Amino acid sequence: VSAGPDVAVVGVGQSQYSRGTELTERQLAVQAALNACADAGVSPTDVDGLFIPGRRKFRAEDVVVGLRIEDLAVSGTVELGGASSVACLGHAADALRSGRARTVLVVGGWRGYTDRRLGGGGDQLLDDLASVFPNPGIRRNLEHPYGLVTPMQYYALQANRWFHDRDVDPAIMAQVALAARSHAQHNDAALMRARPMTSEDYADSKVICDPLRILDCCLETDGAAAVLLRAGGGGKEPSRAVPVLSAAEARPSVPDDIASRRDITETGTSRAARRAFEAAGLGPTDLDFCEIYDCFTFVVLRQIEDLGLCGPGEVAKYLTETGIGPGSPTPVNTHGGLLSEAHVLGLNHVVEAVRQLRGEAGARQVARARVGAVTGYGDFGDAAMAVLGGSSRG
Amino acid sequence: MQHRGRVRTYVCVDRAFHPAFADDVPFVLVLVEVAPGVRFLGRLHGIAREQVGVEVIGLGVRPRFRSGECGDAVLVDWEQDPLC
């Protein structure tokens, strides 16, 4: 499907992931970007393309100055909420294939702990959320006055209908939380390393927004991550380049409002997955692992079905019989994900996929990891998926 | 527009995410369809929070208006419709 030269990830980097930081978002982003360049053996001044997931407190200009980039040829901000990071890979690949840029950086980060705590409440949170989500008019006029404010409430609204329609017990969400925490025990960067979780811990955890418990919610953390891409096998060590076989995105039919979708539970995931698999010439059975966007455990259930890891309506059976933890046939979120590593806008999922495909994941390395998928999910159902790995074409 | 509808989905609000709702929790929000594609979000009255579960999906409801709590705006809430 995609014409032009092969595109590959040649470098990945991250800042420290923490709960609390003295650094600004801009400093975190520049730190992650410099680490990605160093990982690739590419001079930061050679970056000539830049894509940033979502509106952040840093702009392209800040990265240009921070990296001393001299000639930025293409840049963009991608607005698909938590799907933006993976969607950026598609835009980066297009810029490289078309020849508009030779070295493209995707960098994202935030102070999700220091600047914005979603449980906190108050006018500032309302302003903040109205600016982050699409269509602030709907949010402010039709939802906030009734007390519908935070992401977990929107997800619960969808989850209650989804569990009802499929006659699935929400208790199955525990399997996602437990698997993520198990994976995180093998990742030094994971904030939940050395904090294992038992089924009892999960069952005892507080229900925050029924059916979502505190342990169904992602972490709130500060941090940034970056991915450097090139066409035609650039980078200091070509053997470490990880091909981007495809990257696709999709939005729900009414992207700014769950309530107005004919099917309230509709998201873009199945369409994004279809596009990404078609473009890569692969299918779900070809995946050796998946990094699935996991702002809430519920969202992982949905994506496992929508990706085709199991059949429709089979996710509960899949989780209990096959599983997604360490050693399972297709491990999911081998770094611990947003639930147990850190919430770095899902760009940490891309970083992890690259490390797995390079065979550099240490104690958590998936055996014979050749092809992996990374998904993004956000803004009430925007979706993106990339397929990485395999052998280079040509 | 018909003045009756059915609950498509719901969310229980046990925790106030803004101080304005601190005295109201727990309460239940329902998404109500009054005609194909015409939907309202509002508070459900008359059924205790502890009684609310997936069975509330499909419940027949009628509007109940609430004023004086949000400036000049009249909020549209819902209660079970005995005729449904």
Side-chain angles (χ1 to χ4, degrees):
Chain A
V1 173
S2 45
D6 292 338
V7 169
V9 175
V10 297
V12 293
Q14 66 200 59
S15 71
Q16 190 175 37
Y17 300 158
S18 62
R19 296 207 264 197
T21 183
E22 298 292 312
L23 300 179
T24 63
E25 270 192 19
R26 170 182 170 166
Q27 288 169 323
L28 291 167
V30 169
Q31 206 174 74
L34 290 172
N35 287 339
C37 292
D39 181 55
V42 168
S43 168
T45 57
D46 287 343
V47 171
D48 61 354
L50 177 61
F51 288 92
I52 298 174
R55 272 167 292 171
R56 306 260 65 95
K57 288 178 180 159
F58 65 90
R59 299 165 46 115
E61 290 85 343
D62 297 321
V63 179
V64 168
V65 171
L67 270 60
R68 303 194 181 156
I69 294 169
E70 289 169 4
D71 186 13
L72 192 69
V74 60
S75 66
T77 302
V78 174
E79 299 272 7
L80 280 95
S84 303
S85 292
V86 173
C88 277
L89 296 183
H91 297 283
D94 288 346
L96 289 164
R97 292 202 180 97
S98 69
R100 289 186 71 184
R102 291 170 38 83
T103 305
V104 179
L105 179 73
V106 176
V107 58
W110 64 336
R111 304 204 308 174
Y113 182 91
T114 298
D115 290 345
R116 178 195 295 149
R117 305 291 304 281
L118 290 174
D123 290 338
Q124 197 195 334
L125 181 71
L126 295 194
D127 291 344
D128 211 11
L129 290 171
S131 75
V132 167
F133 286 138
N135 207 330
I138 294 178
R139 313 282 87 82
R140 287 192 178 288
N141 296 312
L142 298 176
E143 294 173 349
H144 291 178
Y146 292 95
L148 186 67
V149 175
T150 72
M152 69 184 81
Q153 292 176 301
Y154 294 100
Y155 283 95
L157 207 57
Q158 276 199 326
N160 282 329
R161 181 76 202 201
W162 191 83
F163 285 117
H164 166 270
D165 288 353
R166 298 183 171 234
D167 197 21
V168 169
D169 184 348
I172 195 66
M173 293 189 293
Q175 300 307 317
V176 177
L178 291 165
R181 192 62 67 90
S182 300
H183 284 300
Q185 301 316 308
H186 307 288
N187 175 7
D188 287 337
L191 272 85
M192 291 298 123
R193 165 114 203 224
R195 293 184 62 179
M197 187 197 300
T198 65
S199 304
E200 291 72 34
D201 294 333
Y202 177 86
D204 291 344
S205 71
K206 194 175 174 199
V207 176
I208 298 291
C209 190
D210 199 11
L212 303 172
R213 297 174 179 276
I214 185 85
L215 292 179
D216 290 307
C217 305
C218 60
L219 302 172
E220 294 180 296
T221 59
D222 304 320
V227 177
L228 195 71
L229 300 99
R230 275 193 161 177
K236 192 171 60 181
E237 298 174 69
S239 62
R240 291 174 79 229
V242 170
V244 178
L245 299 180
S246 67
E249 62 186 64
R251 294 176 194 259
S253 56
V254 187
D256 64 349
D257 190 22
I258 292 170
S260 297
R261 292 174 202 162
R262 192 180 309 146
D263 175 359
I264 296 159
T265 65
E266 181 200 348
T267 73
T269 303
S270 53
R271 281 178 286 121
R274 192 176 63 235
R275 286 173 193 153
F277 280 133
E278 276 177 18
L282 296 171
T285 55
D286 297 309
L287 302 177
D288 299 312
F289 65 91
C290 284
E291 313 299 353
I292 295 182
Y293 195 89
D294 54 336
C295 47
F296 296 96
T297 53
F298 163 65
V299 165
V300 177
L301 302 183
R302 308 220 33 199
Q303 292 177 91
I304 285 173
E305 285 196 2
D306 291 344
L307 257 60
L309 291 183
C310 66
E314 291 178 357
V315 70
K317 185 164 171 273
Y318 184 77
L319 286 173
T320 48
E321 292 181 10
T322 306
I324 58 173
S328 62
T330 313
V332 172
N333 293 349
T334 48
H335 51 331
L338 308 184
L339 290 164
S340 281
E341 185 193 47
H343 191 323
V344 195
L345 310 171
L347 206 45
N348 51 327
H349 290 45
V350 181
V351 169
E352 172 67 6
V354 169
R355 290 191 175 134
Q356 287 288 348
L357 291 165
R358 284 173 173 176
E360 296 177 358
R364 62 182 190 279
Q365 180 64 46
V366 173
R368 294 176 298 283
R370 289 186 59 255
V371 178
V374 188
T375 75
Y377 182 103
D379 274 3
F380 314 134
D382 291 345
M385 186 171 117
V387 182
L388 308 181
S391 52
S392 294
R393 285 178 291 126
Chain B
M1 185 184 86
Q2 295 178 9
H3 296 291
R4 291 195 167 84
R6 287 201 182 273
V7 174
R8 300 280 300 198
T9 190
Y10 69 100
V11 58
C12 297
V13 183
D14 294 327
R15 175 172 169 169
F17 291 102
H18 188 278
F21 304 102
D23 295 336
D24 296 354
V25 290
F27 59 88
V28 178
L29 294 175
V30 285
L31 182 67
V32 175
E33 181 159 288
V34 297
V38 182
R39 296 172 184 168
F40 289 84
L41 180 80
R43 202 177 288 186
L44 179 68
H45 295 277
I47 302 178
R49 155 73 180 93
E50 307 75 57
Q51 306 299 316
V52 172
V54 286
E55 320 74 54
V56 85
I57 292 175
L59 185 74
V61 291
R62 64 185 181 193
R64 177 167 146 177
F65 301 98
R66 179 157 51 103
S67 54
E69 289 185 30
C70 187
D72 295 333
V74 175
L75 301 179
V76 184
D77 286 345
W78 301 89
E79 61 189 4
Q80 187 167 5
D81 184 349
L83 298 181
C84 281

Coordinates of all heavy atoms in Angstrom, one line a residue, chain A residues 147-179:
Chain A
G147 N -22.8 17.2 36.2 CA -21.8 16.5 37.0 C -21.0 15.5 36.2 O -20.3 14.7 36.8
L148 N -21.1 15.5 34.9 CA -20.3 14.6 34.1 C -19.1 15.4 33.7 O -19.1 16.4 32.9 CB -21.1 14.2 32.8 CG -20.4 13.2 31.9 CD1 -20.3 11.8 32.6 CD2 -21.1 13.0 30.6
V149 N -17.9 15.0 34.3 CA -16.8 15.9 34.2 C -15.5 15.2 33.8 O -14.8 15.6 32.8 CB -16.5 16.5 35.6 CG1 -15.2 17.3 35.6 CG2 -17.7 17.4 36.0
T150 N -15.2 14.1 34.4 CA -13.9 13.5 34.2 C -13.9 12.3 33.3 O -14.9 11.7 33.1 CB -13.2 13.0 35.5 OG1 -13.9 11.8 35.9 CG2 -13.4 14.0 36.6
P151 N -12.7 12.0 32.7 CA -12.6 10.8 31.7 C -13.2 9.6 32.3 O -14.0 8.9 31.6 CB -11.1 10.7 31.5 CG -10.6 12.1 31.7 CD -11.4 12.7 32.8
M152 N -13.0 9.2 33.6 CA -13.5 7.9 34.0 C -15.0 7.9 34.0 O -15.6 6.8 33.9 CB -12.9 7.6 35.4 CG -13.4 8.4 36.5 SD -12.5 8.0 38.1 CE -11.0 8.9 37.9
Q153 N -15.7 9.0 34.1 CA -17.1 9.0 34.1 C -17.6 8.7 32.6 O -18.5 7.9 32.4 CB -17.7 10.3 34.5 CG -17.5 10.6 36.0 CD -18.0 12.0 36.4 OE1 -17.5 13.0 35.9 NE2 -18.9 12.0 37.3
Y154 N -16.9 9.3 31.7 CA -17.3 9.0 30.3 C -17.1 7.5 30.0 O -17.9 6.8 29.3 CB -16.5 9.8 29.3 CG -16.8 11.3 29.4 CD1 -15.9 12.1 30.0 CD2 -17.9 11.8 28.7 CE1 -16.2 13.5 30.1 CE2 -18.1 13.2 28.8 CZ -17.3 14.0 29.5 OH -17.5 15.4 29.5
Y155 N -15.9 7.0 30.5 CA -15.6 5.6 30.2 C -16.6 4.7 30.9 O -17.0 3.6 30.4 CB -14.2 5.3 30.6 CG -13.2 5.8 29.6 CD1 -12.6 7.0 29.7 CD2 -12.9 5.1 28.4 CE1 -11.7 7.5 28.7 CE2 -12.1 5.5 27.4 CZ -11.5 6.8 27.6 OH -10.6 7.3 26.6
A156 N -17.0 5.0 32.1 CA -18.0 4.2 32.8 C -19.4 4.2 32.1 O -20.1 3.2 32.0 CB -18.2 4.7 34.2
L157 N -19.7 5.4 31.5 CA -20.9 5.5 30.7 C -20.9 4.5 29.5 O -21.9 3.8 29.2 CB -21.0 6.9 30.2 CG -22.4 7.6 29.8 CD1 -23.3 7.6 31.0 CD2 -22.1 9.0 29.4
Q158 N -19.7 4.4 28.9 CA -19.6 3.4 27.8 C -19.5 2.0 28.3 O -20.1 1.1 27.8 CB -18.3 3.7 27.0 CG -18.4 4.7 25.9 CD -17.3 4.6 24.9 OE1 -16.2 4.3 25.2 NE2 -17.6 5.0 23.6
A159 N -18.8 1.8 29.4 CA -18.5 0.5 30.0 C -19.8 -0.1 30.4 O -20.1 -1.3 30.1 CB -17.5 0.6 31.1
N160 N -20.7 0.6 31.1 CA -21.9 0.1 31.6 C -22.8 -0.5 30.4 O -23.4 -1.5 30.6 CB -22.7 1.1 32.4 CG -22.2 1.3 33.8 OD1 -21.6 0.4 34.4 ND2 -22.3 2.5 34.3
R161 N -22.8 0.2 29.3 CA -23.6 -0.3 28.2 C -22.9 -1.5 27.5 O -23.6 -2.4 27.1 CB -23.8 0.9 27.2 CG -24.6 0.5 25.9 CD -26.1 0.5 26.2 NE -26.7 -0.4 25.3 CZ -28.1 -0.3 25.0 NH1 -28.8 0.6 25.7 NH2 -28.6 -1.1 24.1
W162 N -21.6 -1.4 27.4 CA -20.9 -2.5 26.8 C -21.0 -3.8 27.5 O -21.3 -4.8 27.0 CB -19.4 -2.1 26.7 CG -18.6 -3.0 25.8 CD1 -18.4 -2.9 24.4 CD2 -17.7 -4.1 26.2 NE1 -17.6 -3.9 24.0 CE2 -17.1 -4.6 25.0 CE3 -17.4 -4.6 27.4 CZ2 -16.2 -5.7 25.1 CZ3 -16.5 -5.7 27.5 CH2 -15.9 -6.2 26.3
F163 N -20.8 -3.7 28.9 CA -21.0 -5.0 29.7 C -22.4 -5.5 29.6 O -22.6 -6.7 29.6 CB -20.5 -4.7 31.1 CG -19.1 -4.6 31.3 CD1 -18.5 -3.4 31.7 CD2 -18.2 -5.7 31.0 CE1 -17.1 -3.3 31.9 CE2 -16.9 -5.6 31.2 CZ -16.3 -4.4 31.6
H164 N -23.4 -4.5 29.6 CA -24.8 -4.9 29.5 C -25.1 -5.7 28.2 O -25.7 -6.7 28.1 CB -25.7 -3.7 29.6 CG -27.1 -3.9 29.2 ND1 -27.5 -3.7 27.8 CD2 -28.2 -4.2 29.8 CE1 -28.8 -3.9 27.8 NE2 -29.2 -4.3 29.0
D165 N -24.6 -5.1 27.1 CA -24.9 -5.6 25.7 C -24.3 -7.0 25.6 O -24.8 -7.9 24.9 CB -24.3 -4.7 24.6 CG -25.1 -3.4 24.5 OD1 -26.2 -3.3 25.2 OD2 -24.7 -2.5 23.7
R166 N -23.1 -7.2 26.2 CA -22.4 -8.5 26.0 C -22.6 -9.5 27.1 O -22.1 -10.6 27.0 CB -20.9 -8.2 25.8 CG -20.7 -7.4 24.6 CD -19.3 -7.1 24.2 NE -19.4 -6.4 22.9 CZ -18.7 -6.8 21.9 NH1 -17.9 -7.8 22.0 NH2 -18.9 -6.2 20.7
D167 N -23.3 -9.0 28.1 CA -23.6 -9.9 29.3 C -22.3 -10.4 29.8 O -22.1 -11.6 30.1 CB -24.5 -11.0 28.9 CG -25.1 -11.7 30.1 OD1 -25.2 -11.0 31.2 OD2 -25.5 -12.9 30.0
V168 N -21.3 -9.5 29.9 CA -20.0 -9.8 30.5 C -19.9 -9.3 31.9 O -20.4 -8.1 32.2 CB -18.9 -9.3 29.6 CG1 -17.5 -9.4 30.3 CG2 -18.9 -10.0 28.3
D169 N -19.3 -10.0 32.8 CA -19.1 -9.5 34.2 C -17.9 -8.6 34.2 O -16.8 -8.9 33.8 CB -18.8 -10.8 35.1 CG -18.7 -10.4 36.5 OD1 -18.6 -9.1 36.8 OD2 -18.7 -11.3 37.4
P170 N -18.1 -7.4 34.7 CA -17.0 -6.4 34.7 C -15.8 -6.9 35.5 O -14.7 -6.3 35.4 CB -17.7 -5.2 35.4 CG -19.1 -5.3 35.2 CD -19.4 -6.8 35.1
A171 N -16.0 -7.9 36.4 CA -14.9 -8.4 37.2 C -13.7 -8.9 36.3 O -12.6 -9.0 36.8 CB -15.4 -9.6 38.0
I172 N -14.0 -9.1 35.0 CA -12.9 -9.6 34.1 C -11.9 -8.5 33.9 O -10.7 -8.8 33.6 CB -13.5 -10.0 32.7 CG1 -12.5 -10.8 31.9 CG2 -14.0 -8.8 31.9 CD1 -12.2 -12.2 32.5
M173 N -12.2 -7.3 34.2 CA -11.2 -6.2 34.1 C -10.0 -6.4 35.0 O -8.9 -6.0 34.7 CB -11.8 -4.8 34.5 CG -12.9 -4.4 33.5 SD -13.4 -2.7 33.8 CE -14.3 -2.8 35.4
A174 N -10.2 -7.2 36.1 CA -9.1 -7.5 37.0 C -7.9 -8.2 36.2 O -6.8 -7.9 36.6 CB -9.6 -8.4 38.1
Q175 N -8.2 -9.0 35.3 CA -7.2 -9.7 34.5 C -6.2 -8.8 33.8 O -5.0 -9.0 33.7 CB -7.8 -10.7 33.5 CG -8.7 -11.8 34.2 CD -8.0 -12.5 35.3 OE1 -6.8 -12.9 35.2 NE2 -8.7 -12.7 36.4
V176 N -6.8 -7.6 33.4 CA -5.9 -6.6 32.7 C -5.0 -6.0 33.7 O -3.8 -5.8 33.4 CB -6.8 -5.6 31.9 CG1 -6.0 -4.6 31.3 CG2 -7.7 -6.3 30.9
A177 N -5.6 -5.6 34.8 CA -4.8 -4.9 35.8 C -3.7 -5.8 36.4 O -2.5 -5.3 36.5 CB -5.7 -4.4 37.0
L178 N -4.0 -7.0 36.6 CA -3.1 -8.0 37.2 C -1.9 -8.3 36.2 O -0.8 -8.3 36.6 CB -3.8 -9.3 37.6 CG -4.7 -9.1 38.8 CD1 -5.6 -10.4 38.9 CD2 -3.9 -9.0 40.1
A179 N -2.3 -8.4 34.9 CA -1.3 -8.7 33.9 C -0.3 -7.5 33.7 O 0.9 -7.7 33.7 CB -1.9 -9.0 32.5

